[in-house]
């Protein structure tokens, strides 16, 4: 199992075993969704959609990006994700994330927990005051 961090605001949560990618039902990314006072967008099925997500992230000042993939590069979908604050309190939970999840959080230290095929990954990160 391996976690790769590409920069302080972007985390790549990689699961270490090889295997088939779960197929997600395609839905284009929505501009912004609010859940428990946290704004987020999720998507990332294909290069065009990833580009669209990044454009939306800049426009709406999202400051955290999580990407779910095997460490071989195959992307994963339908990933349950929980983000907790520095005190361990949940601030965001999503039952099924697409491969790319962008979140707007207050600046601070957080831990993201994601599970796939019985394997749980945790990654602690700093959310900056401004976007990606």
């Amino acid at each position: 199992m391996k976690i790769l961090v590409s920069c302080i605001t972007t985390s790549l949560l990689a699961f270490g075993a090889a295997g088939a990618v779960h197929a997600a039902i395609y839905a284009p990314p929505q501009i912004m969704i609010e859940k428990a006072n946290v704004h987020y967008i999720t998507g990332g099925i294909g290069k065009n959609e990833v580009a669209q997500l990044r454009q939306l992230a800049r426009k709406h000042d999202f400051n955290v990006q999580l990407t779910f993939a095997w460490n071989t590069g195959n992307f994963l979908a339908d990933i349950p994700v929980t983000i907790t604050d520095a005190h361990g309190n949940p601030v965001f939970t999503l039952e099924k994330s697409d491969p790319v999840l962008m979140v707007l959080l207050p600046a601070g230290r957080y831990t993201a927990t994601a599970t796939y095929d019985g394997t749980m990954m945790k990654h602690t990160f700093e959310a900056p005051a401004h976007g990606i």
Side-chain angles (χ1 to χ4, degrees), residues 16-32:
V21 175
H22 271 199
I25 297 174
Y26 177 77
Q30 296 183 4
I31 291 176
M32 194 180 310

Side-chain angles (χ1 to χ4, degrees), residues 1-4 13-17 69-71 114-116 118-122:
M1 215 168 5
K2 192 178 200 181
I3 297 176
L4 304 172
L13 296 178
F15 292 83
W70 289 110
N71 57 10
T115 304
Y116 179 74
T119 301
M120 182 190 308
M121 299 289 298
K122 283 189 174 188

Side-chain angles (χ1 to χ4, degrees), residues 9-104:
T9 59
T10 305
S11 301
L12 175 63
L13 296 178
F15 292 83
V21 175
H22 271 199
I25 297 174
Y26 177 77
Q30 296 183 4
I31 291 176
M32 194 180 310
I33 303 167
E34 183 177 353
K35 183 175 183 180
N37 295 320
V38 175
H39 291 95
Y40 74 96
I41 53 177
T42 188
I45 314 277
K47 290 180 184 179
N48 291 338
E49 189 172 314
V50 170
Q52 184 182 11
L53 283 170
R54 289 185 185 184
Q55 184 177 41
L56 290 170
R58 285 188 297 275
K59 180 179 178 181
H60 296 287
D61 205 28
F62 285 94
N63 58 350
V64 175
Q65 176 183 325
L66 301 176
T67 301
F68 305 103
W70 289 110
N71 57 10
T72 59
N74 294 339
F75 292 101
L76 302 171
D78 299 334
I79 303 297
V81 181
T82 299
I83 298 176
T84 56
D85 64 17
H87 305 290
N89 301 312
V91 295
F92 178 77
T93 300
L94 187 61
E95 291 178 23
K96 292 183 177 184
S97 176
D98 288 328
V100 177
L101 171 63
M102 295 184 182
V103 186
L104 178 57

